[in-house]
Amino acid sequence: MIFDSALNALRSLLHTGMRATFWKSLGLTILALIGAWFAISSGFTELALPWVSDFFQLDFELPKWTGWISFFALMMAGFGLAAALAFLIGPVSALIAGIFLDDAAQALEETYYPDDPPGKAMPIGEGIWLAIKFTGVVILGNLLALVLLLVPGINLIAFFVINGYLLGREFFEFASRRFGPDDYARRLRAKHGMTIFGAGLVIAAFMAVPILNILTPLFGAALMVHLHKAIAARDINRAASVA
């Protein structure tokens, strides 16, 4: 079920119905990251570089080897800027793509499940709140994983477990909320918790791939749309067989 949903999600990213959402989300995310890069680098140039220069341009003569310290400091600053941008990829893409997730879900439902009752789009306010929640979840998951990176033996496991749980929970709630209230989503999560967690691990693995992780929100939403449909259909079939 998870494997089939993941394959369908990958196919869905470039499907005709998803194409407009795909390009809008990708384009705005790239523009936002470029803006973030210029903002961070400008801030570094204005604040950090003058401090480094003043620190090493003292009144008395320093040994020649101190020039290497300055060079090393600038190198580390460059790596820091790159790391900051890499950390921002997840939250920025989650915030922007979160605005378009309902459009993506509707396109998938119309294309892959045309005979099923259509899902109900969230109100604008609730959709914005969902995008903010996605962003917060991504930031929280990455911060926790970053802290646990310092703990040998569990760092990589922690990244997948934390992000798998949080991403699986939030994306499945999004997909199921289109077909019922909060209680409906909670009941499904309680009943199919391990399946949802497994799907969350797939999303976390997707998010761990550089550059490709920009598309994590769209991939996660597509995966959970397909997974929700599969879970709902299986529950209906089981109930019918029992009856």
Side-chain angles (χ1 to χ4, degrees):
M1 185 183 298
I2 295 174
F3 181 74
D4 290 339
S5 298
L7 283 180
N8 286 333
L10 288 173
R11 297 190 190 104
S12 300
L13 289 179
L14 292 176
H15 193 275
T16 306
M18 281 274 287
R19 201 165 291 164
T21 303
F22 174 89
W23 288 116
K24 282 190 295 185
S25 176
L26 180 61
L28 289 174
T29 299
I30 291 174
L31 287 176
L33 289 173
I34 291 173
W37 168 259
F38 279 111
I40 294 172
S41 58
S42 297
F44 172 75
T45 302
E46 295 293 329
L47 300 175
L49 275 182
W51 180 85
V52 173
S53 300
D54 293 341
F55 182 82
F56 288 103
Q57 290 175 3
L58 303 177
D59 293 334
F60 55 89
E61 186 177 352
L62 291 172
K64 293 182 179 180
W65 59 266
T66 56
W68 288 101
I69 298 178
S70 179
F71 175 75
F72 180 75
L74 292 176
M75 287 284 291
M76 292 302 295
F79 284 124
L81 288 174
L85 185 65
F87 181 82
L88 285 173
I89 287 176
V92 169
S93 60
L95 181 61
I96 292 176
I99 301 172
F100 303 112
L101 289 186
D102 257 323
D103 294 339
Q106 181 178 345
L108 290 177
E109 291 163 9
E110 291 175 352
T111 302
Y112 288 88
Y113 312 98
D115 298 328
D116 292 358
K120 183 180 179 181
M122 295 182 184
I124 295 177
E126 193 172 346
I128 294 174
W129 171 240
L130 177 70
I132 295 172
K133 276 183 65 180
F134 276 140
T135 306
V137 165
V138 172
I139 293 174
L140 176 62
N142 281 280
L143 283 177
L144 289 174
L146 188 63
V147 170
L148 291 173
L149 279 175
L150 304 175
V151 183
I154 68 168
N155 40 28
L156 191 61
I157 296 174
F159 172 85
F160 283 105
V161 170
I162 293 171
N163 281 290
Y165 173 76
L166 292 175
L167 293 171
R169 174 191 173 98
E170 294 302 321
F171 279 109
F172 186 80
E173 179 177 339
F174 156 73
S176 56
R177 278 290 304 280
R178 289 176 54 83
F179 294 91
D182 287 341
D183 291 343
Y184 170 70
R186 293 193 190 99
R187 288 198 304 271
L188 285 181
R189 283 207 320 267
K191 186 176 181 180
H192 304 279
M194 290 306 298
T195 300
I196 295 169
F197 174 65
L201 291 178
V202 175
I203 301 173
F206 190 94
M207 189 172 69
V209 181
I211 299 178
L212 194 63
N213 56 5
I214 293 178
L215 301 174
T216 299
L218 290 180
F219 172 76
L223 192 159
M224 288 306 185
V225 165
H226 291 299
L227 186 67
H228 170 259
K229 286 290 186 179
I231 286 176
R234 189 173 68 176
D235 285 356
I236 290 173
N237 291 335
R238 284 182 176 175
S241 64
V242 171

